[in-house]
């Protein structure tokens, strides 16, 4: 059951607003998750992710694996726990569990988010793929944790489907033979359309991670691939703020994207510096498409930026010497053209991938909708696999200047 927020120690509105003002001086992506949560500590719950084997919701579900985590939002694989005729526990097929943790938030903010969660549950069909219904079309609550649960098996399907994450599928010993170029294009289009729909609702993912994409082992399920719930309630469901703060301010402050893993090949470079918009998700989608078609993840953005900065530092030497120095110092850091990894990739598709993976946000597609339109114009069968001409060195971007300032 929900903790009664009225039982918590009260604070005057003036004190609450003053504390919020101090917190919002920093940009949302720089906001410390721990600092933000510390105002109302809950002695019975630290807000940490659940562990494998934990039983939740009055013994109904067992956690099997944490798939993805961002501040106050966790995505798990789990199973419903049943009972056999002899009274022993039995575990049913897998389910996906989205958890939103509201432990430690002040009452005004918590009420605002609770209303958004309830509104989201009433429109959950906007997110659920066909054939994977919600277990319950309402928010399930335990303590300060709010759950949304999705079945990972079609109730009416005669197919024997083994659901798994895209990461698990691609980390197997060999690449699935059925995941050929035509299938890869279809999968890429489906994921891009899902992200475009989220953008229309105001959701920026920041990281389209393979751990949040559900597929099946043999590629036969009609819903594959699909994005699992790994985001907080969409901004379109937030109708009320808290005091002088708008819903967007609360959304950004409580649920920052905060993904600063420099070795993650699926995040855009601007995320490392506290900025994200729809074009950041375009970069993530481009990285995912690059992996679908080449069978390799792209060079991480951080290393590409360092390579560009290294190239900018060769000014003052001869052209030949600067080129040789750049090759010697930057080998393996540049983005490899897809056709060099997988001969046969059409020219039009390669142009789409390279544009989506541009380091400069303004050089990418402006939205996931625009990326979908470009992919729909690619015809794998009809186009000859003509390799691209050598790409000239692009102009220096503001990233190279940023790195120079950072090093100074």
């Amino acid at each position: 059951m929900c903790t009664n927020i009225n039982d918590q120690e009260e604070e005057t509105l003036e004190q609450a607003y003053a504390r919020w003002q101090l917190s919002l001086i920093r940009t949302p992506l720089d906001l410390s998750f721990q600092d933000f949560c510390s105002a109302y500590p809950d002695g019975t719950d630290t807000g940490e992710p659940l562990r494998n084997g934990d039983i939740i919701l009055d013994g109904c579900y067992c956690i099997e694996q944490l798939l993805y985590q961002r501040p106050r939002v966790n995505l798990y694989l789990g199973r419903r726990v049943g009972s056999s005729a002899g009274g022993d526990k039995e575990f049913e097929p897998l389910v996906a569990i989205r958890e939103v943790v509201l432990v430690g938030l002040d009452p005004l903010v918590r009420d605002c988010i609770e209303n958004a969660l309830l509104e989201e549950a009433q429109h959950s069909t906007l997110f659920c793929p066909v054939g994977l219904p919600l277990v319950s079309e309402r928010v399930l609550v335990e303590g300060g944790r709010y759950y949304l649960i999705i079945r990972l098996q079609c109730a009416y399907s005669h197919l024997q489907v083994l659901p798994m994450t895209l990461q698990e599928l691609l980390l197997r010993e060999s690449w699935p033979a059925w995941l050929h170029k035509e299938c890869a294009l279809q999968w890429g289009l489906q994921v891009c359309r899902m992200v475009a729909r989220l953008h229309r609702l105001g959701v920026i993912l920041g990281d389209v991670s393979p751990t949040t994409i559900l597929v099946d082992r043999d590629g036969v399920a009609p819903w594959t691939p699909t994005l699992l719930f790994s985001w907080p309630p969409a901004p379109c469901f937030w109708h009320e703020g808290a005091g002088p703060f708008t819903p967007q301010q609360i959304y950004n402050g409580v649920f920052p994207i905060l993904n600063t893993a420099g070795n993650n090949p699926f995040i855009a470079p601007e995320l490392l510096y506290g900025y994200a918009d729809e074009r950041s998700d375009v970069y993530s989608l481009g990285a995912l498409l690059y992996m679908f078609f080449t069978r390799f993840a792209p060079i991480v953005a951080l290393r590409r930026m360092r390579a560009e900065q290294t190239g900018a530092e060769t000014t003052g030497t001869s052209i030949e010497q600067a080129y040789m120095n750049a090759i010697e110092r930057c080998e393996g850091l540049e983005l490899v053209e897809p056709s060099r990894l997988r001969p046969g990739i059409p020219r039009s598709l390669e142009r789409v991938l390279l544009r989506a993976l541009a380091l400069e946000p303004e050089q990418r597609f402006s939205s996931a909708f625009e990326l979908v339109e470009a992919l729909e114009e690619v015809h794998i069968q009809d186009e000859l696999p003509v390799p691209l001409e050598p790409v000239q060195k692009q102009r220096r971007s503001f990233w190279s200047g940023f790195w120079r300032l950072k090093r100074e």
Side-chain angles (χ1 to χ4, degrees), residues 258-292:
L258 277 186
N259 194 333
T260 56
N263 61 347
N264 185 346
F266 299 99
I267 65 170
E270 60 269 20
L271 237 69
L272 302 172
Y273 306 108
Y275 177 79
D277 62 13
E278 292 185 12
R279 296 170 299 180
S280 306
D281 286 348
V282 168
Y283 186 98
S284 284
L285 291 169
L288 196 67
L289 290 164
Y290 185 100
M291 184 176 64
F292 280 159

Side-chain angles (χ1 to χ4, degrees), residues 26-189:
R26 291 171 287 179
T27 59
L29 294 183
D30 289 334
L31 190 61
S32 167
F33 179 42
Q34 289 78 11
D35 290 348
F36 195 88
C37 295
S38 62
Y40 285 89
D42 187 328
T44 61
D45 194 334
T46 63
E48 294 296 320
L50 301 174
R51 296 170 298 180
N52 295 351
D54 282 352
I55 304 296
I56 61 171
L57 298 173
D58 296 327
C60 293
Y61 292 92
C62 177
I63 300 297
E64 292 209 348
Q65 182 183 357
L66 174 66
L67 295 180
Y68 184 78
Q69 181 183 10
R70 59 182 284 182
R72 295 193 175 273
V73 180
N74 302 310
L75 175 65
Y76 306 97
L77 282 181
R79 294 182 189 272
R80 184 174 178 85
V81 181
S83 299
S84 64
D88 298 330
K89 289 184 178 180
E90 291 185 346
F91 294 92
E92 299 181 4
L94 286 170
V95 294
I97 303 173
R98 196 276 308 268
E99 176 188 59
V100 177
V101 183
L102 301 187
V103 174
L105 293 179
D106 69 38
L108 292 175
V109 177
R110 184 162 169 169
D111 286 345
C112 175
I113 301 174
E114 283 178 349
N115 292 334
L117 287 165
L118 294 173
E119 180 78 11
E120 177 194 55
Q122 295 176 10
H123 299 84
S124 55
T125 53
L126 294 172
F127 306 106
C128 286
V130 176
L132 294 180
L134 288 174
V135 170
S136 174
E137 294 186 359
R138 62 186 178 87
V139 180
L140 304 176
V141 185
E142 188 171 70
R145 297 170 182 258
Y146 295 71
Y147 297 96
L148 206 58
I149 300 175
I150 303 176
R151 294 189 183 97
L152 301 186
Q153 176 71 47
C154 303
Y156 53 83
S157 175
H158 64 281
L159 298 173
Q160 294 297 320
V161 173
L162 179 61
M164 61 177 58
T165 66
L166 178 62
Q167 177 171 285
E168 291 175 311
L169 177 70
L170 299 185
L171 286 179
R172 301 176 62 151
E173 292 184 1
S174 59
W175 187 270
W178 47 265
L179 190 50
H180 43 71
K181 287 185 293 186
E182 291 78 7
C183 182
L185 181 60
Q186 179 185 354
W187 276 28
L189 273 168

Side-chain angles (χ1 to χ4, degrees), residues 312-331:
E313 291 176 347
T314 59
T315 304
T317 62
S318 66
I319 294 177
E320 294 80 5
Q321 187 61 41
Y323 179 78
M324 294 305 297
N325 289 344
I327 292 296
E328 182 179 352
R329 297 170 62 185
C330 302
E331 185 176 0

Side-chain angles (χ1 to χ4, degrees), residues 331-348:
E331 185 176 0
L333 295 177
E334 297 283 356
L335 179 65
V336 180
E337 296 173 0
S339 58
R340 296 183 183 276
L341 295 174
R342 300 293 296 177
I345 291 179
R347 174 184 300 177
S348 61

